[in-house]
Amino acid sequence: MIHQIDSDFPNFKPIKLTAGVNIILAENKVNTTNSQGKSLFLETINFIFGADYSKSILSKHKELQGFSIQAIIDINNQKIECSREISSNQSKFIKDSSTIFPWTNNDWKEMLLLNTFNYPSDSPFITWRNLFHFFYLNSTTIKFEDALKSNKNDPEYKTSLLQSLLLDLATNQIEKHAQTKQITSEKKNFNKYLNTLKKSVDIIPEIVPQIDDISKSNRKIVDKLGKLKLDISKLERQINLIDLKNKKLLSSLDELKAKAHFDSIEDFKSFFRIIEIELGNYIKKTFKEAKVFHDTLVSENIEVIEKEISKNNLELGKLHSKLRMKQRELNQFFNLYNINHDKIEDYKFEDIVLNALVQNGGQVITSIVDANIKEISKEKNEEIPRIISHEQIRIDYYRRFLKTFVNLVYKTDKNVTFEIEYNNKLEINFSYDDDRGTGKGNMKIIIYYIFILLINKICFERKIDFLILDTDITDGIDTKNLLDLLKITDRLFKKHQLQLILTLRNDRTLDWDYLESKKWIKHRLSDTDNGYLFKKNLK
């Protein structure tokens, strides 16, 4: 949680934040609500959470150089005071009260990723800053699909992976698929590299690796050895993949059998308690219908899983047989060409394909890469939809929550649709009646991200606990609907120690006395001399 934002800039007043709704209000006491510091306030949060200095709005103001942004935030279940200087040199470091030495910005972001999402920073796709976007929205968009991306230039495979992590759906498989997509998208540069390498080898022959006697032997021998090792590697990968499938299937089977006589709602019962007051008889009836559906589904799923395991075991037998044949063929190959079997691990595949590159200009390497990409993509395109189809019960819970939340906001049945499919990318379809247009499109985006925050904190026990919205994201939303949304969100967020932080202008016809009575307004900005976040006419 973010407890306080402060700065050592003169006249900057500490801004304290709490659980529930936190509003930074811009008032036009003289002329305008523009340039008072609404977006700059959100940028101070962005900056302390690792924004690149050169991309930060704070770096554009010369008068802020050398001053620091300070914050009190929760990390590792304790309040930490941290600060970051606004300068091209010192902005690379974040100081906090729990450590002696300052963090580099990269280490800080890796720590936040691990602490908040329990995800190690070993992925080129999943980073703290990419995930941070989903909880820090500083611009409006009427396209729900665009809002799903961590930035507007994200490729589809990256967006799919981030969403799968946030929804906890087939993340590992989608990450593997994303890797093949990335290689495909970068293949042009890869081919350029190979051509450059070929030319370099012609000019500097010494860079060709010496692989004992293999590099001096006939090219066909080298290619054959490389192909055998590749075939064995592929078979081992296929076997490992099916072993993994069986392990998950057996786990699911045990879980289903254990739960065959229990209420299907038990796992998510605590989740739905968060809105039990509002749900009333509506949810009670839905629970009973879900129980009947669940009992039927459990027995059907047990039968399906047992058949799948049997089918996998047959496939495993065939693959093990092929693997033994390939290993015998490799041994015969060693004996035929008098290659030292004990040094098989010394014959690195990278060296073999580089040797092949020297011989034929890289065609072997590109064909191997293409073949691997196609094989993995085919596997994942079949595997991921199957995994997601097995998660329909969870997706049904997601749909029920969104349906209930939307209906509570609008106080009428809005025919909510929520579906998740995978066809080369994760496709999320969330819509309801009259959700078109800027205001209604923005409302849908806010509701979806409130839902994402709730399930990540409550269901997946991740430590993300705030949602930050700039004024623009509420543009066009009906005033009554916005107030109803804030009331529901405040109740839920206070109960679960979550924060909604948003900036607003007082030119809206909201019931400001009500907002004041609820203590939602945490700070007031105005166009008077002392009303600006930093100062008037900041340069």
Side-chain angles (χ1 to χ4, degrees), residues 105-348:
N105 197 25
N106 286 337
D107 289 343
W108 176 253
K109 288 183 285 190
E110 288 182 9
M111 181 276 294
L112 289 173
L113 177 64
L114 181 60
N115 175 257
T116 309
F117 291 98
N118 195 29
Y119 195 93
S121 54
D122 58 358
S123 167
F125 309 110
I126 297 177
T127 66
W128 161 253
R129 292 298 300 177
N130 283 333
L131 288 170
F132 181 73
H133 159 82
F134 295 100
F135 307 95
Y136 174 90
L137 303 180
N138 62 349
S139 62
T140 185
T141 174
I142 61 173
K143 291 184 177 179
F144 181 69
E145 295 76 16
D146 292 340
L148 297 183
K149 300 182 178 181
S150 64
N151 65 68
K152 62 183 179 181
N153 296 320
D154 266 359
E156 289 179 346
Y157 59 79
K158 188 172 182 179
T159 298
S160 294
L161 178 56
L162 294 168
Q163 286 292 336
S164 71
L165 176 72
L166 293 174
L167 294 165
D168 196 27
L169 293 171
T171 303
N172 293 335
Q173 291 77 10
I174 292 178
E175 181 172 16
K176 184 72 172 177
H177 203 191
Q179 291 170 353
T180 66
K181 295 282 186 181
Q182 185 183 51
I183 291 171
T184 302
S185 66
E186 295 176 352
K187 189 165 179 285
K188 183 177 180 182
N189 291 332
F190 180 66
N191 282 330
K192 285 183 179 178
Y193 163 75
L194 289 178
N195 291 332
T196 302
L197 186 59
K198 174 63 169 65
K199 293 175 183 176
S200 301
V201 168
D202 291 339
I203 298 170
I204 314 172
E206 289 78 10
I207 73 168
V208 179
Q210 297 297 316
I211 319 173
D212 295 336
D213 294 333
I214 295 184
S215 62
K216 301 175 184 177
S217 63
N218 186 281
R219 178 168 61 88
K220 291 183 179 179
I221 297 176
V222 176
D223 292 347
K224 178 67 174 177
L225 178 59
K227 187 176 184 307
L228 281 170
K229 290 188 69 177
L230 181 63
D231 289 344
I232 289 173
S233 176
K234 284 181 180 178
L235 287 168
E236 288 174 341
R237 188 170 68 241
Q238 288 176 304
I239 288 171
N240 290 337
L241 181 63
I242 293 180
D243 281 337
L244 181 62
K245 287 180 185 176
N246 267 1
K247 184 179 179 181
K248 291 184 176 180
L249 286 169
L250 286 168
S251 175
S252 299
L253 186 62
D254 292 341
E255 186 178 345
L256 280 172
K257 287 181 177 178
K259 290 187 176 182
H261 303 295
F262 287 93
D263 192 326
S264 64
I265 310 305
E266 191 61 32
D267 288 345
F268 274 74
K269 184 183 289 183
S270 61
F271 181 37
F272 281 98
R273 287 199 189 104
I274 63 178
I275 45 177
E276 60 188 358
I277 296 174
E278 289 87 353
L279 299 184
N281 293 329
Y282 167 75
I283 282 298
K284 203 175 290 183
K285 177 186 174 188
T286 309
F287 274 15
K288 290 178 180 177
E289 292 173 351
K291 177 66 168 64
V292 174
F293 171 74
H294 165 265
D295 292 341
T296 305
L297 196 62
V298 165
S299 60
E300 291 177 354
N301 278 353
I302 289 175
E303 184 179 347
V304 169
I305 290 175
E306 287 175 339
K307 288 181 179 178
E308 184 74 14
I309 292 173
S310 177
K311 178 183 174 184
N312 285 346
N313 287 334
L314 288 174
E315 182 66 19
L316 273 175
K318 295 177 183 177
L319 289 173
H320 277 296
S321 178
K322 288 182 182 179
L323 181 61
R324 286 192 295 271
M325 288 177 61
K326 287 293 179 183
Q327 288 170 336
R328 281 198 299 270
E329 189 176 350
L330 184 62
N331 285 330
Q332 291 170 357
F333 188 82
F334 285 154
N335 294 333
L336 179 63
Y337 292 100
N338 196 27
I339 297 174
N340 189 343
H341 187 283
D342 295 334
K343 290 190 175 182
I344 178 62
E345 294 305 322
D346 294 338
Y347 307 142
K348 295 180 181 177

Side-chain angles (χ1 to χ4, degrees), residues 445-490:
I445 291 166
I446 294 172
I447 290 174
Y448 179 75
Y449 283 119
I450 287 173
F451 154 72
I452 286 291
L453 177 57
L454 283 167
I455 65 169
N456 274 268
K457 178 72 187 303
I458 300 170
C459 295
F460 307 145
E461 297 182 347
R462 293 166 179 162
K463 297 177 184 177
I464 184 73
D465 52 16
F466 54 76
L467 178 62
I468 300 169
L469 306 175
D470 202 0
T471 309
D472 290 347
I473 201 70
T474 63
D475 281 352
I477 296 178
D478 178 82
T479 299
K480 181 180 180 304
N481 291 339
L482 178 59
L483 186 57
D484 287 339
L485 174 71
L486 293 179
K487 289 177 180 177
I488 296 168
T489 303
D490 188 61

Side-chain angles (χ1 to χ4, degrees), residues 359-377:
Q359 299 291 336
N360 61 22
Q363 294 305 310
V364 168
I365 295 179
T366 53
S367 63
I368 290 172
V369 171
D370 285 343
N372 284 344
I373 288 174
K374 288 178 181 177
E375 181 180 345
I376 295 173
S377 293

Side-chain angles (χ1 to χ4, degrees), residues 410-469:
Y410 289 97
K411 294 183 171 56
T412 184
D413 188 355
K414 302 295 284 185
N415 296 317
V416 174
T417 299
F418 183 76
E419 303 292 343
I420 298 176
E421 296 178 349
Y422 193 90
N423 184 16
N424 280 316
K425 66 175 181 177
L426 200 67
E427 297 175 352
I428 299 172
N429 175 25
F430 169 41
S431 62
Y432 51 85
D433 290 350
D434 303 322
D435 66 353
R436 295 185 179 180
T438 303
K440 290 163 184 172
N442 286 344
M443 176 70 98
K444 182 173 72 169
I445 291 166
I446 294 172
I447 290 174
Y448 179 75
Y449 283 119
I450 287 173
F451 154 72
I452 286 291
L453 177 57
L454 283 167
I455 65 169
N456 274 268
K457 178 72 187 303
I458 300 170
C459 295
F460 307 145
E461 297 182 347
R462 293 166 179 162
K463 297 177 184 177
I464 184 73
D465 52 16
F466 54 76
L467 178 62
I468 300 169
L469 306 175

